[in-house]
Amino acid sequence: MTWTATVTTLGFILISMFVSLWLRLKLERDLIIGTIRATIQLISIGYVLHFIFTSNHWYWIGLVLLVMITVASQNAAARGKGIPWIFCRIFLTIFIVAGFTLLMMLFLHLIQAKPQVLIPISGMIVGNSMVVSSLVLNQMRQQAEQMREDILVALSLGATSRQASMRLTREAIRSGTIPIVDSLKTVGLVQLPGMMTGLIIAGTNPIEAVRYQLLIMFSFTASATLTSILMGLFVYPTLFNRAHQFIGWRGKTDK
Amino acid sequence: MPKSQPLIELREVTKSYDSPEGRTTPLKEVSAVIPPESVIALMGPSGTGKSTLFRLLNRLEDPDHGSITYKGKPLSEWDPILLRREVHYVFQSAVLFPKTVADNLNYPLKLQGKSMSEEEMARLLERVGLSKSYLTRSIEKLSGGEKQRVHLARSLSLNPHVLLLDEPTASLDPESTERIEQEMRCYREKGHTVLWITHQPEQARRIADQVWHLESGHLRQEEMKR
Ligand SMILES: Nc1ncnc2c1ncn2[C@@H]1O[C@H](COP(=O)(O)OP(=O)(O)OP(=O)(O)O)[C@@H](O)[C@H]1O
Ligand SMILES: [Mg+2]
């Protein structure tokens, strides 16, 4: 694609602008801000990636990974405001999951150890892990309220906090893995995944693109499961104190 | 343990809750002594803090001020898990876990890595007036009264030294109620202690050595003549 072609794509924005003005949707301001932000963010990340690909040093890849995990953790931590050390708990989860998944892929020679492959793939894994973390946190908050009495009764029967919250944790882990398992069933029938589409447009043979897509989806399944389990394990202890007393969800309940 | 020494002692126990509507103080500097091998009926209007007192004794919560001792040792110095099996609280509402009645009766021992034979489970059911055939029944298909009795039988599997009963016969017919009262009299004869929340003065008279009245945070005790 040439730069002139890129500028021409702004025409699509003009269509929305026109509709917005015509129907008085008052979207013009947001449209302009959104367009400018998307352009700047994507062009700068383009240059950053270009720089990293040409310099080809390991520490740059590490830095990019750390930034991605930090931003992702911050995003997911909004779901657990009020829980002590929630950022660290999520950061540790995503860090372990991304590290484990990438090492497995490298170890099994599924991907090449070069930044052009590592960075996009880890981006997808970190993003997936972030979404799953939010889901698990949401579910835990709901279950902590719903199962309050069950948990108290279990405690009164001599359960430890781990035993008393077993069903809650299990529900949370399930809810973190269900979406990816569902999407395994419909992918290719309902929607063509973005990565595969991109590879095909860029000229990759569709069979090759499908192989990459399968790799991503299967590793997403593993990393979603691992994320749910780690989040469950890292978060349930915050519902109790040291005397195995149930104190419930400490976060703000709004949102 | 000599009979004169208190089994449980409460000293100036205060507990309050903060909510958006304001602060409620169900217990205000409550002091009391629970002697061993006794049945105490706890009475008082709805919402006065009877269940709250049980939560403190079972150490599901801690008091804001004051102290509670069990066998002369403060509750906070006991291992909470072991304490809850010994000074055990049977909740007001019957909360059962999936799936069958047998699963529920087995639950407390399963937590400790043990299990219970079918005969022992049948024996538990018999003590609350249910037949052995209930063992395989799904908990979803039980009536309110059946649930309440399974709930009590499950707690009896722990054989707790002190049993805190929160209106255990609230949804039972007179016959089943009589059965539970009889069972608890036996339980005391075996050297255990029972605290029993009830709203019926006649029931208190039938079962109790002492009646405690809890009202607006204060406790009034009444000895029963036997
Ligand atoms: N976790 C809590 N947070 C806020 N308030 C509470 C909490 N638990 C109990 N309360 C309040 O404390 C008071 C005493 O409650 P409690 O359940 O002990 O009453 P009760 O004597 O058992 O009543 P009932 O006979 O209806 O069962 C009530 O006003 C209740 O609203
Ligand atoms: Mg109550």
Side-chain angles (χ1 to χ4, degrees), chain A residues 118-139:
Chain A
L118 281 179
I119 291 180
I121 288 200
S122 42
M124 286 193 268
I125 291 171
V126 168
N128 178 49
S129 198
M130 170 183 88
V131 172
V132 173
S133 300
S134 303
L135 279 177
V136 171
L137 280 174
N138 248 345
Q139 185 68 10

Side-chain angles (χ1 to χ4, degrees), chain A:
Chain A
M1 244 174 104
T2 59
W3 275 109
T4 14
T6 308
V7 173
T8 319
T9 52
L10 279 175
F12 287 110
I13 297 291
L14 287 180
I15 295 176
S16 316
M17 279 292 247
F18 175 75
V19 173
S20 171
L21 285 171
W22 181 38
L23 297 176
R24 303 211 185 99
L25 301 176
K26 300 217 167 80
L27 285 174
E28 306 89 67
R29 219 179 93 91
D30 284 334
L31 260 175
I32 292 172
I33 294 176
T35 310
I36 293 174
R37 277 193 61 165
T39 314
I40 294 178
Q41 284 167 5
L42 286 179
I43 289 180
S44 15
I45 196 67
Y47 275 106
V48 169
L49 287 178
H50 181 72
F51 165 74
I52 292 169
F53 292 169
T54 46
S55 79
N56 204 7
H57 277 303
W58 278 105
Y59 49 80
W60 285 120
I61 302 180
L63 186 72
V64 171
L65 248 171
L66 275 184
V67 170
M68 287 194 297
I69 297 177
T70 309
V71 174
S73 309
Q74 222 142 27
N75 221 318
R79 299 274 165 187
K81 263 186 209 136
I83 296 176
W85 302 96
I86 186 63
F87 173 80
C88 296
R89 290 173 206 272
I90 299 174
F91 187 92
L92 198 60
T93 302
I94 302 184
F95 186 86
I96 294 174
V97 169
F100 174 80
T101 319
L102 284 177
L103 285 179
M104 279 300 283
M105 286 179 170
L106 288 172
F107 179 72
L108 297 172
H109 299 289
L110 297 174
I111 55 170
Q112 289 166 298
K114 54 182 188 183
Q116 286 90 324
V117 179
L118 281 179
I119 291 180
I121 288 200
S122 42
M124 286 193 268
I125 291 171
V126 168
N128 178 49
S129 198
M130 170 183 88
V131 172
V132 173
S133 300
S134 303
L135 279 177
V136 171
L137 280 174
N138 248 345
Q139 185 68 10
M140 282 192 121
R141 192 196 69 220
Q142 280 175 24
Q143 294 293 337
E145 280 155 30
Q146 251 171 46
M147 291 197 180
R148 190 188 163 81
E149 200 148 51
D150 285 46
I151 291 172
L152 288 175
V153 166
L155 288 174
S156 79
L157 288 165
T160 60
S161 39
R162 190 178 61 80
Q163 291 170 324
S165 57
M166 192 86 87
R167 274 173 58 213
L168 176 151
T169 316
R170 207 180 290 152
E171 276 308 306
I173 293 174
R174 267 173 57 83
S175 73
T177 26
I178 284 173
I180 181 78
V181 174
D182 280 350
S183 75
L184 280 180
K185 295 182 202 152
T186 59
V187 67
L189 300 176
V190 181
Q191 90 284 28
L192 282 183
M195 187 195 75
M196 196 175 104
T197 320
L199 282 176
I200 294 173
I201 291 173
T204 311
N205 166 345
I207 304 298
E208 177 82 3
V210 164
R211 291 221 299 262
Y212 263 104
Q213 188 58 43
L214 283 178
L215 167 71
I216 285 297
M217 298 220 38
F218 292 168
S219 66
F220 269 23
T221 314
S223 63
T225 317
L226 195 57
T227 304
S228 311
I229 291 176
L230 288 176
M231 280 300 288
L233 291 183
F234 288 160
V235 174
Y236 92 80
T238 66
L239 302 174
F240 299 85
N241 66 16
R242 277 162 172 250
H244 296 276
Q245 291 171 332
F246 183 65
I247 41 184
W249 191 256
R250 302 198 217 189
K252 296 188 188 88
T253 36
D254 53 82
K255 196 175 174 184

Side-chain angles (χ1 to χ4, degrees), chain B residues 76-140:
Chain B
S76 52
E77 287 174 24
W78 289 85
D79 173 359
I81 306 293
L82 297 180
L83 179 86
R84 284 179 197 142
R85 292 179 191 149
E86 254 188 69
V87 182
H88 173 66
Y89 173 24
V90 186
F91 265 63
Q92 187 162 7
S93 46
V95 175
L96 299 179
F97 303 124
K99 282 179 174 165
T100 63
V101 170
D103 291 335
N104 276 277
L105 296 180
N106 206 18
Y107 181 81
L109 288 187
K110 204 171 149 204
L111 292 175
Q112 308 173 39
K114 303 179 201 158
S115 77
M116 193 182 255
S117 70
E118 209 163 288
E119 291 81 68
E120 284 174 293
M121 289 197 260
R123 175 84 197 94
L124 284 176
L125 286 179
E126 196 188 314
R127 286 169 70 184
V128 294
L130 293 176
S131 72
K132 188 182 175 180
S133 63
Y134 276 87
L135 280 180
T136 50
R137 294 267 293 264
S138 155
I139 54 152
E140 280 151 31

